Amino acid sequence: MSEIVLETRGLSRRFGAFMATNDVSLKVERGARHALIGPNGAGKTTLINLLTGVLPPSEGQVYLEGEDITGLASFRRVKRGLTRTFQINQLFPEFTPLETVCLAITERQGVGHSLWSTMAGYGRVIEEAASLLERFGLASVMGERTSILPYGKQRLLEIALAFASRPRVLLLDEPAAGVPEDERHEVLSIVSDLPKDVTVLLIEHDMDLVFSFASRISVLVAGAVFAEGTVAEISADPRVKAVYLGENA
Ligand code: ADP
Ligand code: MG
């Protein structure tokens, strides 16, 4: 039986009279590679902001593993395993990937610098960082300055940072946006290959990438769920095609 790990019920968000999120009820299964797609301005980022607690909803609830987390602060959601990356790059350009990932690991451990004061603690952090960098295809560049890395590698580093918090649900807002065509597939295939107990909800604009990545797709239009289904169902849905053709016309 599938298990719902993340759910919204009747979630809405108004900005003045404008409904950016309109009565969204969404269920994300544990282990899913769930894509959230829709035209620009459809409310995808707003929905992620509601899920992570960056924005409070005007109405409705968010449930994580069956518990109502609607009123929880963002950092408490992260502690419970709900972590996101942002659409805007948030890295320290002068740090190396190794330094950046070590920082994220010590931050998660919550003991900060004290851990660095023992050799054993230092070794454990480095070891975890190395395996994280390996997983995200960053081992060969871990000593370079982040600012000189190819953009795809920078986005992978951001995802590695989110992953360092040991999420059970990872929310990715257009991780391949701005990444050159030839690096995009690497980004999404690394995300797709994350451990199966990690659930991924991903916003992506490129339909080919979405179709190769997703196990399930929700289509947002004007803040509301317009269609939902498997890749086969969504890719064959003439209404979805019309929305995208209309946008690209
Ligand atoms: P998407 O990520 O799908 O492109 P967004 O969620 O960023 O869309 O935006 C959805 C709509 O909500 C847009 O029309 C946007 O202008 C509006 N919006 C988003 N955030 C705010 C805000 N803080 N104040 C007012 N309007 C907003
Ligand atoms: Mg967006």
Side-chain angles (χ1 to χ4, degrees), residues 78-126:
V78 174
K79 283 212 158 87
R80 289 191 186 204
L82 183 66
T83 304
R84 61 114 41 111
T85 58
F86 289 84
Q87 195 171 354
I88 308 293
N89 195 301
Q90 297 219 320
L91 297 172
F92 301 113
E94 298 307 317
F95 280 37
T96 67
L98 180 61
E99 290 165 340
T100 308
V101 165
C102 283
L103 260 180
I105 293 169
T106 51
E107 189 177 311
R108 180 201 69 221
Q109 290 172 330
V111 287
H113 296 296
S114 68
L115 209 120
W116 292 88
S117 63
T118 71
M119 277 315 279
Y122 180 83
R124 277 199 299 275
V125 171
I126 298 284

Side-chain angles (χ1 to χ4, degrees), residues 40 44-46 87 173-174 203:
N40 270 325
K44 303 180 297 293
T45 297
T46 301
Q87 195 171 354
D173 193 350
E174 301 202 27
I203 299 176

Side-chain angles (χ1 to χ4, degrees), residues 177-244:
V179 174
E181 186 89 48
D182 58 339
E183 294 177 58
R184 274 190 218 158
H185 268 283
E186 187 196 9
V187 174
L188 282 234
S189 74
I190 285 175
V191 171
S192 178
D193 290 344
L194 289 176
K196 288 301 168 219
D197 57 341
V198 177
T199 306
V200 181
L201 178 63
L202 171 120
I203 299 176
E204 176 50 56
H205 210 73
D206 183 326
M207 290 296 253
D208 290 336
L209 280 181
V210 167
F211 290 153
S212 67
F213 166 87
S215 55
R216 188 124 199 119
I217 300 176
S218 299
V219 187
L220 273 191
V221 177
V225 178
F226 179 79
E228 229 234 73
T230 62
V231 170
E233 287 162 352
I234 295 300
S235 61
D237 188 331
R239 298 178 316 136
V240 173
K241 268 187 207 146
V243 166
Y244 275 85

